[in-house]
């Protein structure tokens, strides 16, 4: 134990001098010297810059004895009592206007003393005769409200509430902390007076974080010359400027070329089929695989997503627009409506991106991604049976039930030669993939696997052409129109009042479908390769490419799952594959279309089916089952909804299940029973997690392990009461105190506050005192504004549950005015509300 102070008066009556003393070992701190007249009080936990080592803060450092007469208005690092760095929140602050022998005095203008804070002027009052602060190792939490009178702990009191004036200019903490997202949490300095404007701004802060997660979107432009600002802006709008200078030809180019060529060859037969679904010429679909991918490569944030016409959107346009005008009766009007619907789709996507609705991407959690990936893979693989079996007619539905029904219904169209060829190449691709899995370091197997889709289509096309199999039972693509005539479609846009409302509705539906499917695909493949998708940039990129596409004889483009799967399987690394694909599609449109005349549909189907099945992730599903059954349920719901419905329905089901999961946890928040560890009495832990922890006689400690909102407020009130009753019945003794640990409850709403008020009243009627511990700043502010703290009593607000237990034990033992108890009492002013 440190030796008491010896008072020695100097010539200046306003100074109190402490004689030198030997350094205090870790764990012991010198009590502070009494305050000088008007100059500030002594330091807590010893002076000379460090506080006493406390059991609660074992890394707080050593305490050395020193002068306790450095008062004034300096805070924390140079507060009264020497430049005390109060790592354990010990105050070395001053008590102004106190005489040398100690007495009542006023502290400075700061609302409370914390971490060595002190100030000038008047504002708050200490009740009692204390004039110095102590940070002895005997005190578990050396808070600013722990007073000792002349070093003997004979008096103590609680800070009173009142106004304060915080002077931020004197804060010793870094500017970066003071400016951090408008929050004072963790700043350890008093919060200034809050105006209505500031309070509204802070209330809307979560909404700001939704749309601007980077907190300050213009921070990256500050303090930079205009040329650099323009360059930063361009990189934000066109991500290609960010990654293209870092492009490594040695590691990326080969895989990108193979991927680009593979998906280009695949695109031709698929585009011809999808154009028929949309009731448009094949040239429209081929242009859609030419212009929009180029724009996405410049603006998109996904490295693997392939932009092209897709089945679901083609069917959507074909069915909805056919209800407005008959494509066979007036093909020109139908084409103009399709182009106009593409225009509206691009406008809506662009607006959503500019309005920063990219946060919707965050609703696609990991279970949703796993279910979406597996469901789409299996569905797309099964759909390829149409091509492998050689059918001409087939269902447009993606439901596995309808697909199986169509296989049976159109069995008379079965072509055995197409089936044999398709299955042969499917087995070849599967075998090569298995060899790569068994011997991943073998370069021969690697290149056979990467070139598999390309070589399969080339070899099969040569066989069909040489043997003339296109007329002997193996369906092929057939003749494709060439040229770029009529590439401009600005004149096709039709905004007549007769059709504009219907066409805009079709465009809006297509917008939502495209964003749901393409963002889901992009997020899925990004998670496989460990990079981030920017939802806002994705929406802007989709809007731009569809808007430009409506001017260049394209229809709605979005992310293609099958082509993205093949692109990844071929070893593509960057969006350069889109540029290569676009260049090859341009060659097809100009001169190379005849080369695709004899590409067999069955081999195209085999390539797509093989790539899709390789994306089935059983390991991820098993991991979800082991880790979280609710997440496995979300994944299963998404998978089954896609399998028996459509990808859009699957995403909707997964998002709804995820929201229901969150709602259920909000309805029934977890409440843990806490105990104290035998060798660490200051630590409150779950009795389930630590069976050796002990409960406290007459004291129930509970932790609410989630934010408290209106759905679960009444449940918490009833649950706490039942736990108190169960404790009383089980231990055959009354409960005197109920301590709620609010350290995990980072937010609370008005309904929950009223439930807490009802809980306090119910417990009071049964003779139980409610105590609150470890509440954060936002929760305390709401409770204070709602007068809940005044009703409970500020003396029952604690820093930690262990502090609360220590006081409750003292009260239970009926210790009159227990000194230790008074030291543990803290007020709301300690909490920065």
């Amino acid at each position: 134990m440190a030796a008491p102070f010896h008072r020695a008066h100097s010539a200046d009556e306003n100074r109190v001098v402490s004689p030198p003393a030997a350094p205090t070992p870790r764990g012991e701190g010198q009590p502070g010297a009494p305050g000088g007249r008007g100059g500030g009080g002594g330091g807590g936990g010893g002076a000379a810059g460090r506080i006493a080592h406390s059991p609660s803060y074992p890394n707080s450092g050593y305490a050395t004895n020193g002068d306790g007469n450095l008062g004034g208005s300096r805070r924390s690092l140079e507060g009264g009592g020497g430049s005390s760095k109060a790592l354990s929140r010990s105050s070395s602050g001053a008590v102004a206007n106190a005489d040398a022998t100690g007495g009542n005095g006023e502290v400075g203008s700061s609302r409370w003393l914390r971490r060595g804070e002190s100030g000038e002027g008047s504002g708050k009052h200490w009740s009692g005769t204390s004039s110095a602060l102590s940070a002895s190792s005997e005190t578990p939490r050396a808070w600013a409200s722990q007073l000792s009178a002349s070093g003997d702990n004979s008096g103590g009191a609680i800070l009173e509430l009142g106004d304060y004036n915080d002077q931020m200019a004197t804060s010793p903490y870094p500017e970066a902390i003071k400016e951090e997202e408008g929050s004072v949490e963790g700043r350890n300095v008093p919060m200034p007076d809050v105006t209505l404007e500031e309070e509204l701004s802070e209330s809307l802060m979560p909404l700001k974080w939704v749309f601007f997660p980077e907190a300050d979107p213009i921070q990256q432009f500050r303090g930079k010359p205009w040329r650099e600002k323009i360059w930063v802006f361009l990189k934000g709008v066109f991500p290609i400027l960010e990654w293209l200078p870092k492009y490594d030809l040695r590691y990326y180019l080969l895989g990108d070329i193979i991927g680009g060529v593979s998906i280009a060859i695949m695109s031709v037969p698929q585009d011809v089929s999808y154009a028929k679904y949309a009731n448009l010429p094949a040239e429209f679909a081929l242009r859609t695989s030419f212009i929009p991918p180029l724009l996405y490569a410049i603006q998109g944030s996904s490295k693997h997503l392939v932009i092209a016409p897709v089945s679901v959107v083609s069917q959507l346009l074909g069915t909805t627009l056919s209800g407005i005008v008959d494509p066979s009766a007036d093909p020109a009007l139908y084409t103009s409506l399709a182009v106009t619907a593409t225009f509206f789709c691009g406008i809506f996507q662009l607006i959503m991106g500019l309005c920063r609705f990219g946060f919707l991407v965050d609703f696609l959690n990991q279970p949703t991604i796993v279910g979406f990936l597996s469901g789409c893979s299996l569905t797309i693989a099964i759909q390829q049976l149409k091509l492998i079996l050689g059918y001409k007619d087939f269902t447009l539905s993606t439901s596995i039930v309808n697909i199986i029904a169509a296989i049976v219904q159109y069995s008379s169209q079965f072509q055995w030669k197409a089936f044999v060829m398709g299955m042969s190449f499917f087995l070849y691709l599967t075998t090569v993939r298995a060899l790569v899995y068994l011997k991943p370091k073998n370069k021969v197997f690697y290149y056979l696997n990467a070139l598999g889709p390309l070589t399969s289509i080339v070899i099969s096309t040569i066989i069909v052409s040489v043997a003339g199999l296109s007329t002997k039972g193996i369906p092929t693509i057939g003749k494709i129109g060439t040229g770029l005539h009529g590439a401009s479609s600005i004149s096709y846009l039709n905004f007549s009042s007769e059709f504009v409302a219907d066409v805009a509705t079709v465009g809006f539906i297509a917008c939502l479908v495209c964003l749901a499917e393409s963002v889901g695909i992009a997020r899925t493949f990004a998670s496989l390769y460990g990079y981030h998708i920017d939802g806002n940039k994705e929406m802007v990129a989709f809007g731009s490419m569809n808007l430009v596409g409506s001017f260049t004889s394209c229809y709605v483009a979005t992310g293609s799952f099958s082509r993205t799967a093949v692109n990844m399987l071929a070893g593509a690394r960057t969006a350069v594959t889109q540029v290569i694909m676009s260049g090859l599609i341009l060659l097809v449109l100009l001169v190379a279309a005849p080369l695709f005349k004899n590409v067999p549909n069955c081999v195209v189907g085999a390539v797509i089916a093989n790539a899709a099945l390789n994306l089935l992730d059983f390991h991820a599903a098993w991991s979800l089952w082991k880790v979280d059954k609710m997440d496995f349920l979300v994944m299963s719901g998404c998978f089954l909804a896609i399998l028996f419905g459509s990808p859009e329905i699957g995403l909707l089901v997964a998002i709804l299940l995820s929201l229901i999961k969150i709602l259920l946890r909000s309805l029934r928040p977890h409440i843990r029973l806490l105990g104290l560890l035998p060798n660490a009495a200051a630590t409150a832990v779950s009795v389930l997690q630590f069976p050796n922890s002990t409960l406290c006689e007459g004291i129930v400690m509970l932790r609410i392990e989630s934010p408290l909102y209106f759905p679960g407020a009444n449940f918490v009130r009833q649950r706490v009461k039942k736990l108190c009753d169960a404790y009383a019945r089980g231990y055959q003794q009354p409960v005197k105190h109920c301590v709620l640990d609010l350290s995990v409850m980072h937010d609370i709403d008005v309904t929950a506050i009223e439930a807490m008020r009802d809980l306090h009243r119910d417990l009071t009627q049964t003779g139980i005192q409610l105590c609150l511990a470890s509440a954060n700043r936002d929760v305390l502010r709401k409770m204070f504004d709602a007068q809940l703290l005044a009703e409970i009593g500020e003396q029952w607000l604690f820093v930690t549950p262990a502090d609360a237990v220590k006081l409750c034990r003292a009260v239970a033992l009926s210790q009159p005015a227990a000194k230790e108890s008074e030291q543990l009492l803290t007020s709301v002013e300690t909490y920065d509300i």
Side-chain angles (χ1 to χ4, degrees):
M1 181 65 66
F5 275 99
H6 300 277
R7 291 194 177 90
H9 293 272
S10 64
D12 184 0
E13 284 295 320
N14 292 330
R15 257 178 90 82
V16 180
V17 181
S18 300
T24 306
R26 181 182 290 269
E28 296 184 9
Q30 295 288 353
R37 188 182 303 277
R50 301 222 179 191
I51 64 165
H53 172 70
S54 165
S56 303
Y57 295 87
N59 298 321
S60 57
Y62 294 92
T64 57
N65 189 20
D67 292 340
N69 49 23
L70 191 76
S73 61
R74 300 294 297 274
R75 272 202 202 101
S76 190
L77 296 182
E78 297 186 11
S83 55
S84 174
K85 297 179 181 178
L87 298 182
S88 66
R89 303 197 185 194
S90 168
S91 175
S92 59
V95 181
N97 298 326
D99 56 36
T101 59
N104 296 329
E106 297 178 346
V107 302
S109 60
S110 59
R111 188 174 181 184
W112 58 89
L113 298 179
R114 184 178 178 190
R115 291 206 178 190
E117 297 161 13
S118 62
E120 295 178 348
S122 60
K124 303 291 174 285
H125 298 271
W126 295 104
S127 59
T129 60
S130 173
S131 60
L133 299 173
S134 173
S136 171
S137 61
E138 296 177 358
T139 306
R141 290 290 189 272
W143 284 90
S145 57
Q146 301 170 8
L147 296 176
S148 64
S150 302
D152 59 1
N153 293 335
S154 61
I158 306 167
L159 281 174
E160 299 174 359
L161 292 175
D163 298 329
Y164 65 91
N165 294 314
D166 177 48
Q167 301 183 19
M168 299 296 293
T170 62
S171 172
Y173 298 95
E175 292 296 324
I177 298 179
K178 292 197 290 185
E179 296 177 359
E180 182 182 355
E181 299 178 357
S183 172
V184 300
E185 188 87 39
R187 208 187 281 173
N188 300 316
V189 296
M191 180 180 172
D193 292 322
V194 180
T195 64
L196 177 60
E197 181 181 357
E198 291 170 339
E199 188 171 353
L200 289 175
S201 175
E202 186 168 343
S203 299
L204 296 176
M205 187 67 70
L207 188 62
K208 176 185 176 183
W209 289 337
V210 168
F211 293 98
F212 297 97
E214 63 275 18
D216 188 356
I218 63 173
Q219 179 67 33
Q220 55 185 337
F221 298 102
R222 292 175 177 168
K224 295 181 180 179
W226 278 104
R227 183 174 298 179
E228 190 172 350
K229 288 180 180 180
I230 294 174
W231 179 246
V232 171
F233 173 77
L234 290 177
K235 286 197 297 184
V237 177
F238 305 108
I240 191 173
L241 298 176
E242 181 73 30
W243 60 262
L244 189 59
K246 305 174 185 177
Y247 189 84
D248 193 324
L249 295 175
R250 179 181 176 184
Y251 293 103
Y252 297 157
L253 186 59
L254 181 59
D256 288 344
I257 291 176
I258 296 174
V261 174
S262 300
I263 58 178
I265 294 176
M266 276 184 52
S267 295
V268 177
Q270 283 192 313
D271 289 348
V272 173
S273 299
Y274 296 157
K276 294 177 182 178
Y277 294 166
N279 299 316
L280 291 169
E283 293 81 2
F284 267 76
L286 289 172
R287 292 193 189 105
T288 305
S289 293
F290 163 48
I291 296 174
L294 277 178
L295 297 175
Y296 182 84
I298 296 172
Q299 289 188 276
S301 61
S302 175
K303 300 177 182 178
H304 296 89
L305 185 66
V306 178
I307 301 299
V310 296
S311 173
V312 62
V313 176
S314 300
Q315 295 173 32
L316 173 65
L317 292 179
T319 54
T320 54
L321 294 179
S322 296
I324 300 175
V325 60
D326 187 355
S328 58
D330 195 344
L333 178 59
Y334 180 88
T335 302
S336 69
L337 295 184
V339 171
T340 307
T342 304
F343 172 83
F344 279 114
C345 177
I347 288 293
F348 288 131
Q349 290 173 333
L350 198 59
I351 291 174
M352 292 180 70
L354 295 176
C355 292
R356 304 190 67 82
F357 278 88
F359 68 89
L360 297 176
V361 175
D362 296 331
F363 283 94
L364 302 179
N365 54 12
Q366 185 65 22
T368 302
I369 290 173
V370 174
F372 181 82
L373 181 66
S374 301
C376 288
S377 300
L378 190 57
T379 300
I380 289 176
I382 295 174
Q383 283 181 318
Q384 305 313 309
L385 288 174
K386 170 195 174 182
L387 303 179
I388 295 175
L389 296 174
Y391 289 4
K392 293 182 180 179
D393 301 319
F394 209 68
T395 180
L396 299 179
S397 173
T398 59
S399 169
I400 188 174
V401 176
N402 295 333
I403 292 174
I404 294 175
I407 292 174
V408 176
Q409 180 181 355
Y410 299 108
S411 58
S412 59
Q413 300 179 9
F414 174 72
Q415 300 287 341
W416 69 269
K417 294 179 182 179
F419 177 75
V420 171
M421 176 175 279
M423 288 304 299
S424 298
F425 281 97
F426 178 83
L427 292 175
Y428 161 71
L429 294 170
T430 305
T431 302
V432 172
R433 182 68 176 173
L435 290 174
V436 172
Y437 179 78
L438 294 174
K439 296 185 177 182
K441 295 183 179 180
N442 191 304
K443 292 186 177 180
V444 175
F445 293 156
Y446 170 79
Y447 285 112
L448 283 176
N449 179 65
L451 294 170
L454 178 60
T455 55
S456 297
I457 293 177
V458 171
I459 293 173
S460 63
T461 302
I462 294 175
I463 293 174
V464 171
S465 300
V466 173
L469 296 178
S470 60
T471 59
K472 298 179 181 179
I474 296 184
T476 59
I477 293 176
K479 185 178 180 181
I480 302 173
T482 60
L484 291 176
H485 52 276
S488 176
S489 58
I490 297 178
S491 59
Y492 290 5
L493 296 175
N494 189 335
F495 299 107
S496 62
S497 58
E498 182 180 358
F499 302 109
V500 67
D502 294 333
V503 174
T505 303
V506 174
F508 182 71
I509 296 173
C511 161
L512 298 180
V513 172
C514 289
L515 289 179
E517 187 165 356
S518 58
V519 170
I521 297 170
R523 183 75 179 269
T524 298
F525 284 89
S527 67
L528 293 177
Y529 284 86
Y531 62 91
H532 175 68
I533 291 296
D534 190 321
N536 296 312
K537 291 181 180 178
E538 289 295 292
M539 292 180 179
V540 171
F542 287 129
S544 300
M545 70 185 189
N546 281 318
L547 191 61
V548 174
S550 67
F551 302 149
T552 53
S553 296
C554 303
Y555 71 96
V556 179
T558 187
S560 169
F561 187 91
S562 60
R563 297 182 216 196
T564 304
V566 173
N567 187 40
M568 183 205 71
L569 194 63
R573 302 291 185 88
T574 69
V576 170
T577 55
Q578 307 256 38
V579 179
I580 296 173
M581 181 191 73
S582 298
L584 293 177
I585 295 295
L586 177 61
L587 289 178
V588 171
L589 285 169
L590 293 177
V591 294
L595 298 178
F596 291 85
K597 178 181 178 181
N598 291 323
V599 173
N601 291 332
C602 59
V603 177
V604 174
V607 170
I608 296 173
N610 176 263
L613 290 176
N614 281 323
L615 294 175
L616 288 172
D617 197 345
F618 298 103
H619 177 73
W622 175 244
S623 298
L624 289 174
W625 170 258
K626 290 192 300 182
V627 174
D628 192 323
K629 302 300 186 292
M630 284 294 295
D631 282 342
F632 180 82
L633 177 62
V634 173
M635 184 275 296
S636 302
C638 180
F639 175 78
L640 294 176
I642 292 175
L643 207 59
F644 293 97
S646 67
E648 294 73 29
I649 295 176
L651 288 175
L652 180 61
V653 168
I655 292 174
L656 288 178
L657 288 176
S658 299
L659 294 177
I660 290 173
K661 170 187 170 183
I662 296 173
L663 181 61
L664 287 176
R665 292 183 176 177
S666 178
L667 280 170
R668 296 295 181 263
H670 287 175
I671 300 178
R672 300 293 184 191
L673 180 63
L674 304 182
L676 297 178
L677 290 176
N679 297 326
T683 305
V685 296
S686 170
V687 296
L688 293 179
Q689 186 175 359
F690 296 90
N692 62 331
S693 60
T694 58
L695 299 178
C696 305
E697 183 178 354
I699 303 172
V700 176
M701 281 194 299
L702 303 172
R703 179 189 295 136
I704 302 175
E705 296 192 332
S706 70
L708 193 55
Y709 300 124
F710 65 93
N714 190 55
F715 169 79
V716 169
R717 180 178 67 85
Q718 296 176 353
R719 184 67 176 164
V720 171
K721 290 170 58 181
K722 288 181 179 179
L723 288 172
C724 291
D725 293 341
Y727 181 96
R729 291 195 307 270
Y731 286 88
Q732 298 297 318
Q733 60 179 347
V735 177
K736 296 298 183 182
H737 298 87
C738 177
V739 179
L740 294 185
D741 180 1
L742 308 182
S743 57
V744 185
M745 194 178 77
H746 62 79
D747 195 17
I748 189 171
D749 64 8
V750 175
T751 305
I753 290 176
E754 293 304 315
M756 295 287 285
R757 195 190 310 274
D758 294 338
L759 172 64
H760 168 65
R761 292 170 181 171
D762 294 342
L763 294 178
T764 302
Q765 291 176 1
T766 57
I768 302 175
Q769 175 61 53
L770 179 64
C771 307
L772 304 179
S774 300
N776 71 15
R777 169 180 170 274
D778 294 332
V779 171
L780 280 175
R781 169 175 288 176
K782 292 182 179 181
M783 289 182 174
F784 176 75
D785 292 340
Q787 301 298 316
L788 177 60
L789 295 183
E791 186 171 334
I792 295 176
E794 296 161 15
Q795 67 272 23
W796 300 109
L797 179 65
F798 299 90
V799 178
T800 67
D803 292 343
V805 169
K806 200 166 186 180
L807 172 66
C808 294
R809 281 174 169 172
V811 173
L813 294 174
S814 301
Q815 295 180 355
K819 303 171 186 178
E820 189 175 47
S821 303
E822 293 179 354
Q823 290 182 5
L824 286 173
L825 291 174
T826 185
S827 71
V828 291
E829 305 208 9
T830 311
Y831 283 95
D832 288 6
I833 63 172

